[in-house]
Amino acid sequence: VVFDAPDPATLIETLGPDVLVKGADWAEAEIVGGDFVKSRGGKVVRVSLVPAASTSGIIEKIVENYCQ
């Protein structure tokens, strides 16, 4: 989901996910929306990063392959 707010708090509160996933490079206490999700019985999951893989890189490949 693309959003133009400075952080995803409003989006998270609107969607009300049961699970909020963020990279393990973020401390759980720093994850925006984590407290909201947990207050509703959901959970916050931190996943390990994959070296040399990024959302930006995936988007760049899509644009290169399909938007020309």
Side-chain angles (χ1 to χ4, degrees):
V1 174
V2 177
F3 61 95
D4 60 0
D7 66 54
T10 301
L11 177 62
I12 291 166
E13 291 175 10
T14 299
L15 295 175
D18 294 322
V19 179
L20 181 60
V21 180
K22 190 76 176 163
D25 56 329
W26 286 81
E28 187 169 334
E30 296 176 353
I31 297 174
V32 174
D35 289 340
F36 172 77
V37 171
K38 289 188 288 187
S39 75
R40 299 176 62 251
K43 64 182 180 176
V44 175
V45 177
R46 296 168 58 240
V47 296
S48 299
L49 301 180
V50 176
S54 69
T55 304
S56 299
I58 293 169
I59 292 169
E60 286 175 16
K61 282 186 180 183
I62 292 169
V63 170
E64 287 172 10
N65 291 326
Y66 301 102
C67 298
Q68 295 183 19

